[in-house]
């Protein structure tokens, strides 16, 4: 079955430290990849996406993710986190075009400590 | 409004009651999705509309769940004879074009939290 796995349910990290949130998926077909973020008491927001082209994609607030087809991964990284990055992060995958059906991972809570 | 609006934000129902959850998508958005998010889990797909047509309802967990979008804008998710396992946050999302992939971005509402006692 097609699935998305986020290996860490919680990631505590100190402010200004680097962070990596891991995401792996299972699929034998082409995929489209997304990271969504949910700040406290807010709805899900798209952070970044990979549809085609360069395998390294970046967000406006310093996050980046790299699509690795051979390892079926799409890990999210940031070299220096801020307190305001504290949120729930969801990796999502779409396995076919034109359906809108995203499969989400279980989520990773990023806790940035001062 | 500027974003996806869902109501009610919180709903407490007794087991066996029927509930209706409303989603008002961003104006002009063709596609509308419903997801269910249980506590500590990621969202799970329920159903998808393109305008008024329900193109995919493969995620609806039982025939107690019913969704409609009669005029291609506002959508209602109805759950009949609610059970405790229906307790979850129900998320609505919309996108401008058909299918999520044309834009790659879904705009989510804040969700409706349903608690079944």
């Amino acid at each position: 079955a097609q699935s998305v796995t986020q290996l860490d349910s919680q990631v505590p990290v100190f402010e200004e430290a680097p962070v990596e949130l891991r995401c792996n998926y299972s699929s034998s077909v082409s995929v489209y990849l997304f990271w969504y973020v949910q700040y406290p008491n807010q709805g899900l927001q798209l952070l970044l996406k990979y549809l085609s082209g360069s395998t390294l994609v970046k967000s406006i607030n310093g996050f980046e993710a790299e699509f690795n087809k051979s390892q079926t991964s799409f890990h999210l990284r940031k070299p220096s986190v801020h307190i305001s990055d504290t949120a729930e992060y969801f990796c999502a995958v779409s396995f076919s075009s034109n359906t809108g059906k995203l499969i989400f991972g279980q989520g990773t809570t990023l806790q940035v400590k001062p | 409004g500027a974003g996806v609006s869902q109501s009610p934000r919180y709903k407490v129902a007794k087991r066996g009651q029927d509930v209706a959850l409303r989603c008002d998508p961003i104006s002009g958005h063709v596609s509308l999705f419903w997801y269910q998010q249980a506590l500590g889990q990621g969202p799970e797909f329920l159903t998808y509309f393109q305008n008024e047509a329900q193109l995919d309802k493969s995620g609806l967990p039982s025939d107690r769940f019913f969704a409609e979008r009669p005029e291609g804008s506002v959508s209602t998710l109805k759950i009949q004879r609610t059970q405790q396992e229906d307790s979850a946050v129900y998320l609505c999302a919309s996108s401008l074009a058909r299918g999520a992939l044309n834009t790659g971005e879904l705009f989510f509402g804040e969700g409706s939290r349903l608690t079944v006692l």
Side-chain angles (χ1 to χ4, degrees), chain B residues 87-115:
Chain B
S87 295
V89 176
Y90 290 86
L91 299 172
C92 178
S94 68
S95 70
L96 183 59
R98 59 175 184 169
L101 296 177
N102 284 1
T103 63
E105 179 170 6
L106 298 187
F107 294 86
F108 281 85
E110 295 184 341
S112 292
R113 182 179 297 277
L114 172 65
T115 302

Side-chain angles (χ1 to χ4, degrees), chain A residues 34 36 49 97 100-102 105, chain B residues 33 35 42 56 58 101 103-104 106:
Chain A
F34 307 85
Y36 280 83
K49 62 188 178 187
S97 62
K101 184 187 299 184
L102 292 176
Chain B
F33 311 82
Y35 285 84
D56 188 344
S58 61
L101 296 177
T103 63
L106 298 187

Side-chain angles (χ1 to χ4, degrees), chain A residues 13-77:
Chain A
V13 63
F14 286 106
E15 195 173 19
E16 298 183 5
V19 71
E20 178 180 79
L21 307 184
R22 295 177 292 172
C23 174
N24 288 86
Y25 64 91
S26 63
S27 175
S28 58
V29 298
S30 297
V31 296
Y32 303 91
L33 298 156
F34 307 85
W35 276 98
Y36 280 83
V37 59
Q38 186 170 32
Y39 298 104
N41 301 315
Q42 296 186 26
L44 285 163
Q45 304 172 34
L46 181 69
L47 183 62
L48 45 73
K49 62 188 178 187
Y50 169 77
L51 302 181
S52 64
S54 173
T55 57
L56 181 65
V57 292
K58 299 183 180 183
S59 73
I60 59 173
N61 60 348
F63 282 93
E64 63 180 34
E66 186 160 20
F67 169 48
N68 188 319
K69 186 175 182 179
S70 62
Q71 297 187 2
T72 60
S73 68
F74 191 55
H75 301 329
L76 181 70
R77 302 182 181 93

Side-chain angles (χ1 to χ4, degrees), chain B residues 16 22 32 40 45 47 57 60 73 77-78 91 97 103 105 113:
Chain B
R22 175 189 170 104
L32 185 144
F45 172 83
T47 187
K57 55 182 180 179
L60 295 177
S73 55
L77 177 66
K78 297 179 180 178
L91 299 172
T103 63
E105 179 170 6
R113 182 179 297 277

